[in-house]
């Protein structure tokens, strides 16, 4: 459990961080031309997270036209209901403020999460060199998240991925407190919004069991299933039919919209022959989920790391990823500061992110506007970007396994291990 000084540690020095983050986002949002440009960037929004499409869906819904009939709106009815109310408010800063406060909520939850993690690990075996090392401060976690360019751009573009990210972080926070019920409710909401977070059920239940021996995994699974069912039936009540199932989850699974994004699906399925499409759809979708079981088995003592790695896998292998997915992954990485001394590709990963962030818009322009490039240009730079994410994932898993080995075998510290 979090000790009584948690609020004192978080609130005192954090107000200015939150205020600066909110003001920065509102300041950027005050330039309509910039917001309009960002809401159309394929790196920031996808067909299933686009605010522009959400606005169109709300207009159809308010006009008593079924929003899912046209094949253009792919977001869950709950968002439709929420934004129908928000867009009726005449103040133009209401929605930017909502997104800004959600980012602050994520940052605050991450701070709580790192404090809980450090308190738990203080009682666990560690390396001798780690006893006198200053751990990362919660405020650093907040700054890293709130002022990450990926986070800021995703927020200002009003991508609905922020709702999923908040739900995942809240599910992880409640799991770290040993509350399986609330954790599964939040994860059910994340899965309802984006489908893929359902793969995080096992590591979160392991975390709940780790933090509270009274936690019941079967009860957690039941709560998750009931919560998802409740959200789906509530959605059916909102729109009056089950058409949203095909328009939301069907689009995620079967990929009818091949709009370019930061992922690897779109180009592959543009080029592939139709009679191979079904087979490779199964392969690609399974590839996103197949890592959950081995990670939970190999890293069963580090469920938070499993959640982090799965977030990174989603940022690479989901059907419609954006940099908002990478922002969630990158915000969870600093929680594992004990692994940084083992990381080998830090400099390379940072440079890959810098290069891909600069070159992606340039290659997009060369392809669609200048006419001096083609789709290969943009797809190549997205592959480089995904390479950076994969290298970071490999580094994290290697660092965790090597640290565990060094704790169990202190005589091997600093030596190369040869596996036979």
């Amino acid at each position: 459990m979090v000790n009584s000084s948690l609020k004192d540690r978080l609130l005192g020095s954090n107000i200015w961080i939150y205020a600066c983050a909110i003001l920065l986002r509102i300041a950027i949002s005050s330039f309509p031309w910039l917001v309009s440009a960002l809401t159309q960037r394929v790196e920031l929004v996808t067909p299933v997270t686009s605010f522009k499409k959400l606005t169109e869906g709300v207009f159809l819904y308010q006009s008593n036209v079924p929003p899912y009939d046209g094949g253009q709106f792919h977001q869950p009815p709950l968002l439709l209901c929420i934004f129908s109310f928000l867009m009726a408010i005449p103040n133009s800063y209401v929605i930017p403020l909502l997104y800004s406060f959600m980012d602050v909520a994520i940052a605050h939850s991450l701070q709580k999460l790192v404090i809980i993690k450090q308190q738990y690990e203080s009682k666990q075996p560690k390396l001798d060199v780690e006893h006198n090392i200053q751990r990362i401060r919660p405020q650093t976690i907040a700054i890293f998240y709130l002022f990450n360019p990926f986070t800021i751009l995703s927020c200002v573009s009003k991508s609905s991925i922020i709702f999923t990210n908040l739900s995942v972080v809240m599910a992880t926070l409640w799991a770290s407190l040993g509350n399986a019920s609330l954790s599964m409710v939040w994860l059910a909401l994340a899965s309802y919004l984006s489908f893929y977070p359902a793969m995080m059920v096992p590591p979160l239940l392991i975390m709940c069991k780790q933090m509270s021996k009274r936690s019941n995994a079967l009860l957690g699974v039941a709560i998750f299933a009931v919560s998802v069912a409740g959200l789906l039936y509530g959605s059916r009540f909102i729109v009056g039919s089950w058409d949203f199932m095909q328009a939301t989850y069907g689009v995620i699974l079967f990929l009818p919209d091949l709009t370019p994004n930061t992922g690897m699906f779109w180009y592959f399925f543009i080029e592939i022959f139709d009679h191979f499409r079904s087979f490779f759809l199964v392969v690609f979708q399974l590839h996103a989920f197949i890592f959950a079981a081995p990670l939970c088995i190999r890293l069963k003592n580090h469920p938070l790391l499993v959640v982090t790695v799965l977030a990174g896998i989603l940022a690479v292998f989901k059907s419609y990823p954006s940099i908002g997915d990478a922002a969630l992954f990158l915000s969870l990485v600093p929680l594992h500061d004990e692994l940084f001394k083992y990381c080998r590709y830090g400099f390379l990963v940072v440079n890959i992110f810098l290069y891909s962030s600069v070159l992606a818009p340039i290659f997009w322009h060369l392809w669609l506007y200048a006419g001096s490039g083609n789709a290969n240009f943009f797809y190549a730079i997205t592959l480089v970007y995904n390479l950076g994410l994969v290298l970071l994932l490999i580094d994290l898993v290697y660092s965790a396994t090597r640290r565990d080995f060094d704790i169990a075998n202190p005589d091997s510290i600093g030596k190369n291990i040869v596996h036979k």
Side-chain angles (χ1 to χ4, degrees), residues 98-110 145 159-174 182-183 185-187 189-191 193-194 197 324 328 331-332:
L98 170 66
Y99 277 82
S100 300
F101 279 111
M102 290 182 71
D103 261 350
V104 167
I106 292 173
H108 191 69
S109 300
L110 289 171
Y145 175 76
S159 169
S160 60
I161 192 64
I162 194 172
F163 292 91
T164 303
N165 290 350
L166 176 62
S167 301
V168 169
V169 171
M170 292 301 296
T172 308
L173 176 60
W174 282 111
L182 286 176
S183 177
V185 169
W186 277 105
L187 189 64
L189 178 59
S191 304
L193 293 171
S194 296
L328 174 64
S331 70
L332 293 171

Side-chain angles (χ1 to χ4, degrees), residues 52-62 65 67 73 80 84:
K52 183 179 179 181
K53 288 183 179 291
L54 180 57
T55 304
E56 294 172 356
V58 168
F59 176 78
L60 293 173
Y61 180 68
Q62 292 177 336
V65 177
F73 181 61
L80 198 65
S84 294

Side-chain angles (χ1 to χ4, degrees), residues 227-385:
S227 300
V228 170
L231 287 166
L232 293 177
Y233 274 97
S235 298
R236 195 253 181 232
F237 175 78
I238 291 172
V239 296
S241 72
W242 292 103
D243 292 345
F244 74 92
M245 295 288 286
Q246 174 61 33
T248 53
Y249 311 115
V251 168
I252 291 172
L253 289 173
F254 300 114
L255 212 74
D257 191 326
L258 295 175
T259 302
N261 52 60
T262 61
M264 295 184 288
F265 279 61
W266 66 273
Y267 187 84
F268 185 87
F269 285 96
I270 285 175
E271 298 293 333
I272 199 170
F273 292 113
D274 287 343
H275 54 279
F276 291 125
R277 181 181 173 88
S278 298
F279 171 75
F280 280 103
L281 269 176
V282 173
V283 171
F284 271 58
Q285 296 290 5
L286 278 178
H287 195 69
F289 283 87
I290 203 168
F291 295 99
L295 283 170
C296 288
I297 294 170
R298 182 62 185 86
L299 300 173
K300 60 181 180 296
N301 295 323
H302 308 287
L304 180 58
L305 180 62
V306 176
V307 171
T308 303
V309 173
L310 289 178
I313 289 171
L314 289 186
V316 178
F317 294 116
K318 67 188 292 189
S319 53
Y320 293 104
S322 67
I323 65 170
D325 297 286
L328 174 64
F329 170 51
L330 295 175
S331 70
L332 293 171
V333 169
L335 302 180
H336 310 283
D337 59 312
E338 74 279 3
L339 304 180
F340 290 171
K341 57 183 171 291
Y342 289 99
C343 291
R344 302 163 294 174
Y345 306 126
F347 179 76
L348 178 60
V349 168
V350 170
N351 279 279
I352 285 176
F353 284 145
L354 289 175
Y355 293 151
S356 58
S357 298
V358 172
L359 291 177
I362 295 174
F363 287 170
W364 177 263
H365 179 82
L366 290 175
W367 173 24
L368 291 182
Y369 297 100
S372 56
N374 55 44
N376 295 330
F377 283 50
F378 184 74
Y379 188 61
I381 201 62
T382 61
L383 290 179
V384 173
Y385 160 80

